[in-house]
Amino acid sequence: MSSFNSLLLLLCLFSVVSARTEPILDVLKHTSSRQASPSEQESAARGVLKRLLPSHLSSFRLEVLSDEGICLGSSCFWINNFNISRGKGPQIIIKGTNAVEIASGLHWYLKYWCGAHISWDKTGGIQVDSVPRSGSLPPVQDGGVIVRRPVPWSYYQNVVTSSYSFVWWDWERWEKEIDWMALQGINLPLAFTGQEAIWQKVFKRFNITKQDLDGFFGGPAFLAWARMGNLHGWGGPLSENWLTQQLALQKRILRRMLELGMTPVLPSFSGNVPEALKKIYPSANITRLGDWNTVNGDARWCCTFLLDPTDPLFVEIGKAFIQQQIEEYGDITDVYNCDTFNENSPPTNDPKYIASLGAAVYEAMSKGDKDAIWLMQGWLFYSDSEFWKPPQMRALLHSVPYGKMIVIDLFADVKPLWEKSSQFYGIPYLWCLLHNFGGNIEMYGLLDSVSSGPIDARLSSNSTMVGVGMCMEGIEQNPVVYELMSEMAFRSEKVQLEEWLQSYSQRRYGKAVSQTEAAWKILYGTIYNCTDGIADHNRDFIVQFPDLDPSLVSNFAFAKIQMQSPSMQNATRRFFFRETSSDFPQPHLWYSNDKAIQALQLFLDAGENLFGSLTYRYDLVDLSRQVLSKVANQVYLDALNAYRHRNAKMLSVHSQKFLELIMDIDTLLASDGNFLLGTWLESAKKLSVNSAEMKQYEWNARTQVTMWFDNTSTNQSKLHDYANKFWSGLLERYYFPRASTFFSYLQKSLRKNKRFQVDKWRREWISYSNKWQAGTEKYPIKAEGDALKLSKALFMKYLK
C-alpha cells in the first residue's frame, strides 16, 4: 500500500473528530512520496535489529505491509507469530507501513513480551538480558497484535537540541540516535546538521565572501542561536574543515532517515543575513534587531541584521537556499522549518504587516519547492505573548494557504496553546513536550500531562491536531518521560500510569524488584508530578550560584516544604507542594524532598538485587544527586542566614558543609561514566583536525556549559549557568572554586566588619571562569568508584 493512499484513508478517521479536515488533507498530501523502496526499508529495519540485538537477527521476519486493509488507513504495525514451534528460523513476524513502523513494532514486542528496555546510552542504555534466547521467544495471541497511530506524525527535536546535545556527534553516535528514533516511532525529525555549508554556497551567489561569513556564523556550540538571528560570530569562525565535515555527516543522516521511511524537516530562510549584504545591496530593506542577552551590546556578536520578508531580495535568497538543498540532497522532503522573530518582535503589531511577513516567508519556500509545507515552532506565541495577541497570531497563521503550515505547540505539556487559540485558528498542529531547558540534569516531569494531554487535544471539539512530538532543548536525561511520550504516538487512550510505571521498573532493571517498584510509585507522586505550572530549569545553588550582594537581601526564607492546605490530606488528587514566598531567588521545588529520600532509601535497599545493572546505577546516582542537591540548597541558605546575623562560626560551619557537599556529589557522579565532564570535552576535541580547531572546539564546549555568552570583568554573562550540568569535574574544578571564593569574601566581611565586596568577588570569579573556559586540562572519561557504596555512605552522612 502506498503511504499516500494510507494517509488519504486516515483523513476519513479525522472527519469523525474534526470538521476541519481540509487543511490537514493538504498537509499530508505530498510528504510521504519520497520514501525508499519496500526492500530498502526492510533492509534498514533489519539493520536496526542487527545493531540492537544481533543474537536474534534470525528470530524475526520484518516486512513492509502490502495489505491496505490491516491498518484501516492509518500507519500501523502488526506483530504475529511466524513459526513459534520451530527452534530455528523466524519465530515472530513484524509488518509495518514503513520501516519506522516495523522498528516501532519490534520495540513494542521487546518491551511488552520480553521485558526489554531501550534508552540513551547516557541514561543507562539498553536492558535486553530479559529477552529469551533465540528460539524461545514468547508468542503473541492468535491473530497477532495490530497497533495503529491515532495521528500520523511523531516529531522530534528542538532547533537548539543541535547545539545542546548533537554538536559534537560523529556518524557512530548519529547512527545510534536514528535507530533510537525509529524504535520510538519518530517519523518527522528535524534535520539541521551541515546547513552552514549550504548557506556559504548560497551567499556566494550574492557576492558574500568567506571572510564576510566569519563574523556571521556562530561557533559550533552556538550555531542554533546564530541560525535564529539571536547572535552572530560568538565562538566562531567556522573552518572549511567543519563545513565540509558537517555537510558530509548531514548527507549520511538524511540517507538513513529516508531508508527508514522518515520525512526529514529541513531548514529554510527566516531573514537572518550577514552585515555585508547591506553594503552589497544598499537599497535592500535590512534592519538591525535589538540586543539579545549581551552584557554591553558588543557589535561583534550583538544585534543581528534582518532582511525584511517583504523585500524582493528575501524571496530570491529563500528560493536559492531551498534549491541548493535540493541540489545537494535530492528532492527528499516538502517540510521546512522556519521560526520568524524567535525571541525578537516584529517592528509593528499591525496584522496586515504581519500577514505580509508570513506570506513572504512562505513564498520564498514555495518558489524553491512548489509543494513546500512550513513547520513553525509556536514558541514565539508563548515567549512573547504580550505581542502575539489573537489578531497578530491569526494574521501570521492565516498568511499561508490552508494546509501549507503546521504549528508546533512546543510547550503543550505545561502551557498548551491550542486551548487558548481555537486550535491555532484552524491550522494543523503537533502536541509537543518541551520538558528540558539548556540540557540541564534535573529529575523532573509531568507524567499525568504526558499521558492525557495528547488524548484530550485529539478528542477535543474541532481538533486540528495531526501529531505529537518531543521538543526538549537537550536530551539524555529523564528516560521515563521520553519513553512515555514516545508511546503517545501509538496510544488512543490515556495511560494508567501506576500500572505502566510498575511495568517500566521491571523492564528498565530486567526483573521485578519490589523496592524499585515502590520507589517509582513515590517518584510518580513527587518528582514526576509537577503541577505548579512552572517550567523547570535547574537552579540548584551548586550549579546556578546567585550573583548578588547578600547584605542587600532581607529574607533568606526557604521553609520546610508543606502541603498547600491540611484539608487536602484526604483529597483524591495527589498533593500539591509549593515554596514559601521570599525576595531571594530560589530553586524550583515542587515536591517534598523527604518523600524523595524515602524513594532513595528503597533504591538503596534494592542494590543487592540489581548489582551490575547499568540502568539501575544511572537512576541511583541521578536520584542521589537530586536529593543531595536539594539538601545543599538549604545549607547554602543557612550559611547566608548566618552571615545576615553576623554569626561567623555558623557561617563557617554551613559554608564548609556546602563545599563538602559539592565535592561529595562530584565523587558520586564520577562513579557513573554518564556524568563526566571529560566525555563532553573529548568529543569536542575529537572532531578537530588541527590544533587551532581543537582549541576552539574545547573553548566552545567549556563556555556553553558555564559562562555561555560574553561578559565584562565585573559582569557575568546574562546566560551564565543556563546550560549548567551536574558533571563530575565541573563540580570540583568550576562550581567548588566559585562557592569557595564567595564564602571566603563573606568571612572576610565579618572579620573586618565591612560590607561584602561583591565587585571584588565578581572580578576574581569572572577572571577564574574566563581562564577555565580557555583551559586545556584533561578530565576523566571513565567511571571510578562503586556507585552503590558511595550512595549508601552519603545517605548515612547527610540524610539519616
Side-chain angles (χ1 to χ4, degrees), residues 249-317:
L249 181 60
Q250 169 76 334
K251 290 179 178 179
R252 295 187 76 173
I253 291 168
L254 292 173
R255 190 179 309 121
R256 181 60 55 80
M257 287 178 173
L258 294 170
E259 289 170 355
L260 286 165
M262 298 176 183
T263 299
V265 179
L266 293 176
S268 61
F269 182 49
S270 64
N272 182 27
V273 295
E275 181 180 7
L277 195 73
K278 190 173 179 66
K279 299 175 183 176
I280 297 169
Y281 295 90
S283 62
N285 186 3
I286 298 174
T287 57
R288 198 157 195 182
L289 293 174
D291 180 41
W292 185 84
N293 287 312
T294 64
V295 171
N296 58 3
D298 194 317
R300 290 174 293 173
W301 32 79
C302 166
C303 313
T304 54
F305 291 86
L306 184 75
L307 174 61
D308 193 291
T310 60
D311 191 292
L313 189 59
F314 186 99
V315 174
E316 279 189 61
I317 295 175

Side-chain angles (χ1 to χ4, degrees), residues 177-202:
E177 191 70 9
I178 298 171
D179 283 355
W180 181 89
M181 290 184 208
L183 292 161
Q184 308 299 329
I186 306 298
N187 58 11
L188 191 66
L190 206 60
F192 266 28
T193 304
Q195 63 178 279
E196 283 68 33
I198 303 291
W199 276 119
Q200 185 182 49
K201 294 178 182 182
V202 169

